[in-house]
Amino acid sequence: MSYIDRDGISIYFESEGEGPALLLSHGYSSTGAMWNAQVEALRDTHHVITWDMRGHGRSDYPAAPEAYSERLTVEDMAAILDVCEVERATIGGLSLGGYMSLAFHHAFPERTAALLLFDTGPGYKSDDGRDEWNRTSIGRAERLESEGLAALNRSREVKARNHRSALGLAGAARGMLAQADDRIIQSLPGIDVPTLVVVGADDTPFLGASSYMAHKISGAHQVIIPDAGHASNLDQPAAFNATVEEFLAGLAAPVR
């Protein structure tokens, strides 16, 4: 168990194994614990890094709204790589973690050796689509502020958590889950690193987004996991792990 200090905010991470580096980011209202089965499968061949985003799990829950943003999240990821002495890594995540992986590549392409995009989307070109997403995100924040942690749903990825404050999750919904523009979706054609796109066959809201990313990112490989929902790594861990292991084994250049 390790922490880094980010201007007085403690960010929790775990680092296991040796070999090519892999940074995995969890979905909104989950924690790095959702990757336990993947860490177990990959730590003999890879340096696997997981973490809790600010406002989640064992990281801090700052009160200031400005402490939550896409930029700060991406910089947290870079700071974790720094303290792990990793210059370049495969960057992956599920849902919000997948979106932040794309944002990381946008900010730090030179530090991104490959992308793993799980049950996620790249945002919206349309202002109307983004506005609807943001209304949903703010609605989540408002429920957490009024109902506390009882407002969380009982999906499998959300159960893989141990949060201390609903207000941190509300801050993350307003500042990290909500989106400001279309930079990330517009960046897809410029991605030139090996990319794996995975989605559960039953994750209906993200099937279209996954196909869109696979089409727009040159050379991206898409896999649909049968009998899996939004948390495909938890619903079908054996099939998920086999897909990821095959992709990682096929990467031409070693990643430290």
Side-chain angles (χ1 to χ4, degrees):
M1 299 189 298
S2 302
Y3 291 87
I4 58 169
D5 183 278
R6 296 273 293 133
D7 296 325
I9 297 170
S10 291
I11 304 295
Y12 176 83
F13 72 96
E14 296 185 2
S15 174
E16 295 193 38
E18 295 183 1
L22 171 61
L23 175 65
L24 294 174
S25 298
H26 60 80
Y28 175 73
S29 71
S30 188
T31 70
M34 72 172 293
W35 300 115
N36 286 349
Q38 285 66 58
V39 173
E40 183 176 356
L42 295 169
R43 64 189 173 194
D44 289 341
T45 56
H46 286 76
H47 177 188
V48 187
I49 305 165
T50 60
W51 68 298
D52 294 349
M53 295 184 190
R54 47 182 68 206
H56 292 72
R58 283 174 277 193
S59 290
D60 276 353
Y61 300 69
E66 60 270 20
Y68 301 90
S69 70
E70 175 189 310
R71 178 184 63 81
L72 288 170
T73 304
V74 166
E75 290 175 357
D76 290 344
M77 296 162 70
I80 290 169
L81 292 182
D82 288 343
V83 78
C84 291
E85 299 184 340
V86 171
E87 180 58 34
R88 197 162 178 255
T90 293
I91 307 296
L94 184 140
S95 198
L96 176 61
Y99 181 86
M100 290 300 180
S101 296
L102 286 168
F104 181 92
H105 174 270
H106 187 264
F108 300 104
E110 74 285 356
R111 303 195 71 173
T112 307
L115 284 168
L116 304 173
L117 307 175
F118 308 133
D119 295 277
T120 191
Y124 300 86
K125 288 183 178 178
S126 160
D127 291 342
D128 290 341
R130 192 179 315 107
D131 288 346
E132 179 60 31
W133 173 267
N134 289 347
R135 279 192 290 271
T136 300
S137 300
I138 299 307
R140 287 189 180 191
E142 290 172 344
R143 288 192 299 275
L144 285 159
E145 288 161 348
S146 62
E147 302 172 27
L149 293 174
L152 291 174
N153 65 48
R154 303 301 298 167
S155 59
R156 295 190 69 172
E157 70 273 20
V158 174
K159 289 180 182 178
R161 47 81 175 169
N162 184 22
H163 304 303
R164 304 190 307 277
S165 168
L167 296 182
L169 292 171
R174 293 181 184 276
M176 294 155 55
L177 193 61
Q179 300 171 9
D181 52 45
D182 64 351
R183 291 174 305 108
I184 301 307
I185 192 169
Q186 296 286 9
S187 75
L188 298 182
I191 294 174
D192 61 359
V193 297
T195 301
L196 174 66
V197 180
V198 176
V199 64
D202 300 328
D203 190 9
T204 305
F206 286 90
L207 288 173
S210 295
S211 295
Y212 183 88
M213 291 189 298
H215 175 72
K216 288 292 184 179
I217 300 172
S218 178
H221 180 55
Q222 182 182 23
V223 175
I224 299 175
I225 305 289
D227 300 316
H230 189 54
S232 54
N233 69 311
L234 298 174
D235 293 341
Q236 297 294 338
F240 183 95
N241 290 349
T243 297
V244 172
E245 288 172 318
E246 181 180 4
F247 174 80
L248 292 175
L251 293 178
V255 186
R256 183 179 179 277

